[in-house]
Amino acid sequence: MTESTTQSATHPRILIVGNAGQLGRELERIFADAGSVTAVDRESVDLADPDQTRDFVRRTAPDVILNAAAYTAVDRAESEMALAHAVNALAPRVLAEEAAERDALLVHYSTDYVFDGSKSEPWTETDKPAPLNVYGASKLAGEQAIQNSRARHLIFRTSWVYGPHGKNFLLTMLRLARERDRLSIVDDQIGAPTTSIALARATHAIVTGVLAGRFGAAEYWSGLYHMTCAGSVSWFGFAQAIFACASRYLGVKSPELVPIGAKDYPTPAARPRNSVLSNAKLHARFGVHLPLWETALDEVLFAINR
Ligand SMILES: NC(=O)c1ccc[n+]([C@@H]2O[C@H](COP(=O)([O-])OP(=O)(O)OC[C@H]3O[C@@H](n4cnc5c(N)ncnc54)[C@H](OP(=O)(O)O)[C@@H]3O)[C@@H](O)[C@H]2O)c1
């Protein structure tokens, strides 16, 4: 657990849950000056334990809760349904109840995997979710628990999250490039790769704006938003871009890349064919734009190279 010391009326108490994850780590960094920050990992609070979660929030007494923790093992969730549900659905409900109790703002993240991928256009917030896998269903249940609570909330649905740290597609590609000469990558699932850095920045801009009253009363901003980097690409196209960039910055030699269909790469959890999310509502309500995924990729590889 890490705690900053500043505390005053203009320095809200901010609780960041999941600070060891990709996004939590960036949130802790960017919110450091935004108030009195308590940032915790699973050691300090186990979200699978509702009583512990409730007690912890009461003891911390936050004005803002940023929940970056989640059960994110998409394939493993198929065989660990109860745990995925506890962390992704029940814990957000407890956080929302506690936030409502003390009129705190709850910021939560959800996923493109709430959709079945059948649409050819980008998905909007009003499209009907129909998750194809346990992870997506558990995250959808978490969204709904928050929406059904009285808490002032911001739910940001994002996609294909990666960054300089943690477990992600980019770091897996760089590791595999050291081990193999040839990689087969799925080319018929498209989405928007989104960096933990861009997500944390956008969250910071919105939350500080909300706290400063720039977006008016909660009825104008509380709700569900899509938040991804701009543009879209297949996993295969993303891998090509990663190696083009990595050879420039890191001197990594690209393996031979072979495009394949998802049917040739069977996984325990099914994944949507098109999981591109429209960010129009986020732009319209908060004036926030995330960078193009190519620009954001460049920034992450630059950060890895430092
Ligand atoms: N990764 C993606 O591609 C992706 C895509 C769409 C949406 N999202 C959403 O974006 C958000 C951030 O994802 P991320 O990529 O930063 O995830 P991440 O790197 O997997 O981090 C999640 C964190 O949650 C923690 N956690 C898991 N179970 C916990 C428990 N029982 N109690 C307390 N902490 C627990 C993990 O702790 P340990 O380190 O101890 O396991 C980990 O530090 C999540 O809401 C996720 O669903 C992610």
Side-chain angles (χ1 to χ4, degrees):
M1 174 158 93
T2 51
E3 252 173 290
S4 73
T5 45
T6 20
Q7 195 168 326
S8 76
T10 54
H11 278 73
R13 282 185 298 267
I14 300 172
L15 170 61
I16 301 175
V17 185
N19 73 332
Q22 304 192 76
L23 175 60
R25 195 178 166 124
E26 298 301 332
L27 287 173
E28 182 174 6
R29 196 197 328 254
I30 200 162
F31 274 89
D33 295 333
S36 168
V37 176
T38 302
V40 292
D41 62 11
R42 192 203 293 256
E43 296 272 291
S44 303
V45 58
D46 180 358
L47 291 190
D49 181 337
D51 293 335
Q52 200 190 107
T53 305
R54 202 178 289 286
D55 283 355
F56 189 84
V57 176
R58 287 185 185 174
R59 268 188 286 125
T60 324
D63 302 306
V64 179
I65 303 171
L66 302 174
N67 179 25
Y71 181 107
T72 55
V74 176
D75 287 317
R76 196 152 23 101
E78 297 296 307
S79 51
E80 287 189 340
M81 196 188 282
L83 182 57
H85 192 75
V87 179
N88 291 346
L90 300 182
R93 187 172 82 195
V94 171
L95 294 177
E97 284 168 2
E98 290 306 310
E101 199 56 38
R102 49 179 305 103
D103 196 27
L105 164 64
L106 174 60
V107 181
H108 179 77
Y109 298 86
S110 188
T111 173
D112 50 339
Y113 285 6
V114 299
F115 294 117
D116 65 10
S118 60
K119 199 177 168 188
S120 47
E121 296 296 304
W123 296 89
T124 69
E125 290 82 350
T126 52
D127 286 327
K128 194 173 177 323
L132 297 176
N133 56 44
V134 168
Y135 166 74
S138 69
K139 294 293 292 183
L140 177 61
E143 290 180 2
Q144 290 166 342
I146 295 170
Q147 287 168 319
N148 292 335
S149 77
R150 291 178 296 105
R152 293 182 298 137
H153 63 267
L154 291 164
I155 302 171
F156 297 128
R157 269 192 201 141
T158 188
S159 65
W160 297 23
V161 177
Y162 72 101
H165 310 280
K167 264 201 198 141
N168 60 54
F169 184 79
L170 164 73
L171 297 178
T172 302
M173 286 297 111
L174 296 180
R175 176 175 55 77
L176 289 176
R178 289 193 295 271
E179 298 168 0
R180 299 193 205 162
D181 297 328
R182 192 169 191 266
L183 296 177
S184 299
I185 315 280
V186 171
D187 196 28
D188 57 359
Q189 289 169 354
I190 60 161
T194 299
T195 66
S196 48
I197 299 171
L199 277 176
R201 268 191 207 128
T203 302
H204 181 265
I206 293 168
V207 169
T208 52
V210 160
L211 294 177
R214 278 203 289 282
F215 304 115
E219 63 193 275
Y220 297 113
W221 52 259
S222 186
L224 169 70
Y225 299 86
H226 290 174
M227 179 190 272
T228 67
C229 281
S232 63
V233 68
S234 72
W235 290 112
F236 175 75
F238 186 28
Q240 284 182 311
I242 286 171
F243 288 116
C245 232
S247 63
R248 261 204 319 277
Y249 289 132
L250 310 174
V252 171
K253 187 169 164 292
S254 176
E256 181 193 351
L257 299 176
V258 182
I260 58 166
K263 68 171 179 15
D264 298 318
Y265 186 73
T267 51
R271 286 162 169 77
R273 191 179 50 78
N274 170 26
S275 64
V276 181
L277 306 179
S278 163
N279 284 242
K281 184 178 172 190
L282 190 84
H283 301 165
R285 198 63 50 90
F286 300 115
V288 163
H289 292 260
L290 274 69
L292 272 173
W293 69 264
E294 292 99 321
T295 311
L297 170 62
D298 219 63
E299 184 183 21
V300 167
L301 281 165
F302 188 74
I304 289 174
N305 193 27
R306 266 196 317 229

